[in-house]
Amino acid sequence: MLKQALLVAGALSLTTSAYALELTNPFYGPSKGTVASTTTYEFGTATAKNDFYRSKEYDNTLTESLSYGLTDTVSLDASVGNVWQKTKDSYDGTDKDDKNIDWDLGATWNILTGPTKLQVSAAYGQDESNSHDNHGAYKYVDAGVKLGHTIGIYTPYLAGAVERPLFQSEEGDHHVKYEGKVGVYAYCPRADVAVDTGLRADYNRTDKVAAYSYDLEVSYFLTNNVAVSAFGSYILDGKAIESQDVYGKSIGLRLRTAF
């Protein structure tokens, strides 16, 4: 009887560990009553130019994101950050702004949590860093969905998101934005290393910007509940209004914890 009980307990523990996701997993969510924290620093540049005009933006961004597990599959999410921003363009010269508070509040639901994973999310946010031509903070709602399937240490996945501006001026940033991604996540517990990589497409109707980027993030687990990451992104091809070419890249660091 004791032997049978131990076998059942062992089987249950294996099942639990198989579906308990590590912090860096794209489908990760905190369990009920726990908090997940992600602190991110990112430096990026974005350039748009044609034969008559050139604009380049430099951004240093520091963001803190928190998620609280309402249940084992539903979390309440919030983030706040500041953007230290400098812009150089052919018409207005150099513009510098160090007080750009951005924040959002939303929720995430992991609908499927087995080998096949399905996650949906939604949020409301405001970006002071996008206020220059908007007569105040840029306000928006967004919704996202991810679908993936785990095979061994690999999880190929698809992700998409739609962002809709709210209460914006007709002369400002008032059009819907779209994002799609094809990615692969891999986690090797023996080496305590995880890799998340993929190709991403973004479209912004306001400036008719279409950009195609490559993303890469490499993470190392200090403990089961603490992971550090280095990440980067590079625009492979981009076009904007008035036949502008778009270039950009970013690098950054992340610290993830759960408690």
Side-chain angles (χ1 to χ4, degrees):
M1 187 64 141
L2 177 59
K3 184 176 181 180
Q4 290 177 339
L6 290 173
L7 288 173
V8 171
L12 288 175
S13 67
L14 288 173
T15 303
T16 302
S17 64
Y19 298 117
L21 300 181
E22 59 282 357
L23 294 173
T24 54
N25 195 294
F27 296 88
Y28 172 78
S31 58
K32 182 177 180 180
T34 64
V35 175
S37 168
T38 303
T39 305
T40 304
Y41 167 74
E42 181 176 9
F43 171 74
T45 64
T47 303
K49 70 175 185 177
N50 57 21
D51 293 337
F52 311 100
Y53 174 80
R54 185 178 189 274
S55 175
K56 186 167 185 177
E57 182 177 297
Y58 304 81
D59 293 328
N60 284 277
T61 306
L62 184 63
T63 306
E64 173 62 27
S65 301
L66 295 172
S67 294
Y68 175 74
L70 298 176
T71 71
D72 286 340
T73 57
V74 178
S75 65
L76 180 65
D77 312 318
S79 72
V80 62
N82 191 80
V83 183
W84 290 266
Q85 190 175 78
K86 182 172 72 173
T87 304
K88 295 181 179 180
D89 68 47
S90 304
Y91 298 148
D92 300 324
T94 300
D95 178 50
K96 188 176 181 180
D97 192 349
D98 292 340
K99 297 179 180 178
N100 295 307
I101 301 299
D102 300 340
W103 62 269
D104 62 59
L105 180 65
T108 300
W109 179 22
N110 283 296
I111 300 173
L112 300 178
T113 59
T116 299
K117 298 170 175 59
L118 176 62
Q119 181 188 86
V120 295
S121 61
Y124 169 83
Q126 294 190 181
D127 292 350
E128 292 287 349
S129 60
N130 189 15
S131 63
H132 181 70
D133 295 320
N134 289 312
H135 311 291
Y138 169 74
K139 306 172 183 66
Y140 66 91
V141 291
D142 66 22
V145 60
K146 292 178 187 174
L147 175 64
H149 186 81
T150 299
I151 307 169
I153 67 170
Y154 300 101
T155 303
Y157 65 93
L158 300 172
V162 178
E163 180 176 299
R164 183 176 182 81
L166 296 177
F167 320 118
Q168 299 304 121
S169 166
E170 289 293 322
E171 298 177 355
D173 188 355
H174 67 285
H175 289 105
V176 177
K177 301 172 179 63
Y178 303 93
E179 179 179 292
K181 182 175 181 179
V182 178
V184 177
Y185 171 79
Y187 172 56
C188 182
R190 290 185 178 180
D192 293 323
V193 171
V195 176
D196 191 357
T197 186
L199 296 173
R200 175 168 47 87
D202 294 275
Y203 182 68
N204 180 344
R205 284 185 56 202
T206 297
D207 296 319
K208 295 182 173 59
V209 176
Y212 305 92
S213 306
Y214 173 69
D215 300 331
L216 174 65
E217 180 170 357
V218 179
S219 305
Y220 178 75
F221 284 80
L222 301 176
T223 71
N224 288 337
N225 293 325
V226 180
V228 292
S229 307
F231 65 90
S233 181
Y234 182 79
I235 295 179
L236 301 171
D237 185 42
K239 296 291 182 182
I241 196 171
E242 298 178 348
S243 302
Q244 296 183 78
D245 293 318
V246 176
Y247 310 90
K249 57 182 178 292
S250 66
I251 57 172
L253 299 171
R254 283 196 181 97
L255 172 65
R256 291 183 174 92
T257 60
F259 50 91

